[in-house]
Amino acid sequence: MKHSITPTPNAANIYGAHWWLSSANFSKPLAEKWEARKQLLKRMPENTYFAHGYAEQMVVVVPSRNTVITRLGYVPVGEQMDIADFINDILSALD
């Protein structure tokens, strides 16, 4: 897992080996294509990482909370859900 969550320089350090990383160094300017993802990741717990697939399916790992969240639901193409709100709502419910 350590390799998977090691930031990849070619992906603005916000992506590992198939995992998005909220612990990335956001002080560096990012290419426009990464900016939306950066804003999303900044709203999650710092050590969160997640795999994000088709139709908003995802696996989210939050080590500081000893939590893994899996979403197998469906969001139609062209629609979006707020992933950070989804994760933070679940974490709040677990408190």
Side-chain angles (χ1 to χ4, degrees):
M1 198 68 218
K2 184 176 180 179
H3 169 75
S4 296
I5 60 173
T6 300
T8 303
N10 290 342
N13 289 319
I14 63 172
Y15 194 69
H18 301 284
W19 294 91
W20 293 99
L21 312 170
S22 70
S23 60
N25 178 359
F26 292 120
S27 61
K28 296 179 181 178
L30 299 177
E32 186 176 319
K33 70 179 181 176
W34 299 109
E35 191 61 35
R37 187 61 64 166
K38 170 186 159 182
Q39 295 307 317
L40 171 73
L41 292 166
K42 288 174 78 171
R43 295 174 40 227
M44 296 181 191
E46 185 177 328
N47 64 339
T48 302
Y49 51 97
F50 69 100
H52 186 209
Y54 177 76
E56 305 295 348
Q57 294 181 9
M58 64 189 81
V59 176
V60 181
V61 181
V62 188
S64 63
R65 299 290 299 272
N66 199 30
T67 302
V68 175
I69 300 166
T70 302
R71 181 180 189 281
L72 298 176
Y74 176 78
V75 174
V77 174
E79 294 184 25
Q80 291 184 324
M81 65 176 282
D82 190 311
I83 299 167
D85 281 351
F86 171 75
I87 293 166
N88 288 322
D89 287 348
I90 291 173
L91 293 174
S92 291
L94 296 173
D95 284 338

